[in-house]
Amino acid sequence: MRWNNKRYHALNSYLRKKHGEKVGKLSLSAGLTCPNRDGTLSVGGCIFCGEDGAGTFAGCPSDSIDEQIQQQKRIQKKKWDVKKYIAYFQSYTNTYGDPKKLEALYMRAIQDDEVCGLAIATRPDCIDEAILEVLDRINHKTHLWIELGLQTMHPATAKWINRGYTLDVFEKAVQSLKAHGIEVVVHVIVGLPGETEADILQTTRYLSEMGIQGIKIHLLHVIAHTRLHEVFKKEPFPILTQEAYIETVVHMLECLSSSIVIHRLTGDGARETLVAPQWPLHKRSVLNGIDQRLKTLDTWQGKNCNTQCSSHT
């Protein structure tokens, strides 16, 4: 296939093409919080969010950005021989704060000679005009993308997970970022209670039609010490099997535009805090399963885009 023998547009292929070689990722913590945790909107965050704010493998927030970068490089070099990196502000909401201080953080991260890009995870309700001006300046200095945690387009599910914003807020943020030429990467969760595969594919088609540049597909993880864990203990809900997850992801890929970069096909979870399911800990098995299923069905990303996206519902 056209993506380095993959049947989907993988991030590795995209970054190799853009930067000329393999690119690693440095997960950083800016020591910020979130309006969905500090009482501005709510407390406790989204129902599935752990104490680290989805930054399980990020650097220590008490360390400087320079110290975190060097520490993360040492971790990366144990896995791959890479010389270029994306600095990734991962934990909590990384546009939630004073724009001048945030810009100083971003600039600090991209000063490293080996950092060739910047990824910023945030909420769409935390992107105002002042932040857009900062992001626009950063976008002119380095390869930038913004990650938005949508999870689902369906209002009832969004309310259940305590997302804290409506779909129109998300749409405005995407349009504003695109107007500045900034790449948009969106997170979605597969396996949210009450959602069928038809619901998931509807979210997938919706994002494909919005013209986003990237997507991260996650399985719903039940993490210890979260509100989702408390719900699960009281009233256990069905958890997807590995086979069902693989099948759904394959159908999602078929519905996604071939131009969209797949930043993630399965989430990482810390073994110490992962309650259910346990099979995602074997990440390579999941990824191999997706590759094999795509091959068996002789299908690929975008095969059914704008044509038969609902054919598996």
Side-chain angles (χ1 to χ4, degrees):
M1 300 296 289
R2 56 183 146 168
W3 302 298
N4 289 343
N5 295 317
K6 287 285 188 182
R7 290 174 175 259
Y8 58 88
H9 192 178
L11 177 62
N12 180 50
S13 175
Y14 168 69
L15 290 177
R16 281 182 180 273
K17 183 175 180 180
K18 187 172 184 69
H19 296 286
E21 59 188 278
K22 184 174 179 62
V23 178
K25 187 182 290 184
L26 309 172
S27 295
L28 311 175
S29 175
L32 302 171
T33 184
C34 171
N36 212 20
R37 301 179 71 93
D38 68 3
T40 301
L41 293 174
S42 181
V43 293
C46 295
I47 195 170
F48 50 79
C49 192
E51 296 176 353
D52 55 19
T56 304
F57 304 108
C60 179
S62 61
D63 292 339
S64 71
I65 296 300
D66 290 340
E67 289 171 333
Q68 290 184 54
I69 285 176
Q70 296 310 314
Q71 179 192 46
Q72 289 287 313
K73 279 186 185 181
R74 289 191 290 271
I75 294 171
Q76 289 285 311
K77 289 184 185 299
K78 292 178 182 178
K79 302 177 183 178
W80 302 289
D81 181 21
V82 293
K83 298 178 179 63
K84 289 185 178 180
Y85 300 92
I86 300 293
Y88 178 29
F89 283 104
Q90 181 177 14
S91 307
Y92 303 109
T93 303
N94 291 285
T95 59
Y96 186 52
D98 177 76
K100 291 183 179 179
K101 292 182 180 179
L102 291 171
E103 185 167 10
L105 281 173
Y106 305 154
M107 288 298 298
R108 185 67 256 166
I110 65 175
Q111 291 307 306
D112 187 282
D113 291 340
E114 293 183 314
V115 170
C116 62
L118 182 68
I120 300 173
T122 189
R123 294 170 55 90
D125 55 355
C126 292
I127 299 178
D128 57 21
E129 287 303 317
I131 291 295
L132 279 169
E133 290 178 8
V134 170
L135 297 179
D136 185 65
R137 287 194 288 271
I138 298 295
N139 193 42
H140 282 85
K141 295 179 180 295
T142 193
H143 177 200
L144 173 68
W145 73 70
I146 303 299
E147 299 191 8
L148 302 176
L150 176 68
Q151 321 310 353
T152 178
M153 69 171 292
H154 301 287
T157 315
K159 183 177 181 181
W160 188 83
I161 65 175
N162 193 43
R163 192 179 66 192
Y165 65 84
T166 54
L167 201 57
D168 62 314
V169 173
F170 169 77
E171 291 173 352
K172 180 181 178 182
V174 172
Q175 291 163 1
S176 297
L177 290 165
K178 288 175 64 178
H180 285 270
I182 298 171
E183 291 184 28
V184 178
V185 178
V186 180
H187 294 230
V188 295
I189 293 179
V190 176
L192 290 165
E195 288 207 351
T196 64
E197 185 175 284
D199 295 323
I200 296 165
L201 294 183
Q202 188 177 2
T203 295
T204 306
R205 293 193 300 271
Y206 164 76
L207 291 174
S208 190
E209 291 164 1
M210 285 198 72
I212 63 171
Q213 285 72 49
I215 191 168
K216 280 189 171 180
I217 301 173
H218 303 263
L219 169 72
L220 180 67
H221 287 164
V222 179
I223 304 297
H225 313 304
T226 62
R227 285 186 290 169
L228 182 64
H229 185 206
E230 295 303 314
V231 171
F232 187 69
K233 286 190 294 185
K234 292 178 181 177
E235 297 183 26
F237 47 81
I239 297 290
L240 287 182
T241 64
Q242 181 170 324
E243 293 74 17
Y245 180 77
I246 288 172
E247 198 72 12
T248 298
V249 169
V250 166
H251 298 161
M252 292 173 72
L253 290 172
E254 290 177 322
C255 288
L256 283 171
S257 166
S258 59
S259 67
I260 293 175
V261 179
I262 310 301
H263 286 240
R264 176 167 289 172
L265 284 177
T266 180
D268 294 309
R271 187 180 299 273
E272 308 79 48
T273 57
L274 182 61
V275 175
Q278 292 295 305
W279 56 260
L281 293 172
H282 306 287
K283 185 175 180 179
R284 179 49 53 189
S285 174
V286 181
L287 294 176
N288 288 343
I290 292 170
D291 286 341
Q292 185 57 51
R293 190 59 179 154
L294 288 165
K295 183 178 180 180
T296 298
L297 295 174
D298 190 23
T299 191
W300 55 86
Q301 181 181 339
K303 182 178 181 181
N304 294 335
C305 183
N306 297 324
T307 54
Q308 301 174 14
C309 293
S310 61
S311 62
H312 299 288
T313 64

